[in-house]
Amino acid sequence: QDTDGLTWAKPDYHIKYLMDNSEAYRGLRDIAALFQALGNSAKAAYFNGRADMMLNGIKGMWVGNAYGVYKDALGRLAAPNWGLWYADATSQVFPVLMGVISPADSHAQQVYAAFNSHWPGWPQLSFQAQDPFPWVLVADSAALMGDTGRVGTYMSAVQNKYVNQNFPWTWYSAEAGWYMRLNSYLMGHGF
């Protein structure tokens, strides 16, 4: 973890990705909660402190009207190219998906509106012209945003292309996990 709270992609690859840091933030909060549940307040406080640093770093990645896709070794932020599904457009849903910001946050609302403006056909899997994976986690973020209409359309598309076809490749374990989570949420069990 660098002084700005963010982590490098690798020790020898000095790029701080929004996606990676959002996931790391979630992990830090989760390990802190686990230590708290185990009665180790000191370790819980340590990991919450690291998460707070990362939260500030991610908030500092806001550039104009979206999050930077990454921050380089010189501290420059790369604004998203909305025409690129991965990593640019998809990175924008990660702060909500990983609990960095609330769906009610103005930045969450702004990037979600921009995401849908640039990728209006995502619920019908239009992004597969660029990326063959189903990207269930995008639908999970849409559910968090309260967008039941797009989530319903997406679920129908996934049902036809993957579920009814016995889950052919490019379906894999991570997609299955996000799919189970999405179904649980849609059944009223929350995330």
Side-chain angles (χ1 to χ4, degrees):
Q1 194 170 26
D2 201 10
T3 56
D4 64 0
L6 301 173
T7 57
W8 302 111
K10 296 191 306 187
D12 61 347
Y13 188 62
H14 285 181
I15 297 291
K16 300 168 183 175
Y17 287 106
L18 175 63
M19 285 181 168
D20 294 356
N21 278 279
S22 295
E23 290 170 329
Y25 170 83
R26 176 79 273 135
L28 289 168
R29 288 290 186 219
D30 289 347
I31 193 79
L34 180 60
F35 278 119
Q36 192 64 49
L38 294 173
N40 191 332
S41 297
K43 282 192 177 180
Y46 172 81
F47 287 110
N48 273 322
R50 290 298 186 170
D52 290 342
M53 287 175 55
M54 188 165 281
L55 174 64
N56 289 330
I58 294 169
K59 286 181 177 180
M61 292 182 76
W62 188 256
V63 55
N65 60 358
Y67 286 98
V69 177
Y70 64 84
K71 187 176 186 181
D72 70 14
L74 299 176
R76 297 174 298 198
L77 292 168
N81 172 349
W82 286 104
L84 290 176
W85 176 255
Y86 175 78
D88 293 51
T90 56
S91 70
Q92 300 303 300
V93 304
F94 271 68
V96 165
L97 186 65
M98 296 297 155
V100 176
I101 59 173
S102 161
D105 185 281
S106 63
H107 289 164
Q109 298 288 321
Q110 191 170 353
V111 295
Y112 190 67
F115 179 84
N116 285 305
S117 165
H118 289 92
W119 290 91
W122 77 261
Q124 296 90 1
L125 309 179
S126 65
F127 56 84
Q128 289 189 326
Q130 283 188 24
D131 190 314
F133 292 93
W135 280 89
V136 181
L137 63 79
V138 171
D140 280 72
S141 67
L144 287 167
M145 295 300 296
D147 193 350
T148 56
R150 286 187 182 93
V151 171
T153 301
Y154 176 86
M155 291 295 279
S156 293
V158 164
Q159 182 78 28
N160 292 331
K161 185 165 184 173
Y162 293 98
V163 178
N164 294 346
Q165 306 302 319
N166 295 316
F167 301 101
W169 177 253
T170 54
W171 193 270
Y172 71 108
S173 57
E175 302 291 358
W178 287 110
Y179 187 66
M180 288 186 289
R181 183 177 169 168
L182 181 59
N183 276 283
S184 176
Y185 179 77
L186 293 174
M187 292 170 40
H189 302 294
F191 277 123

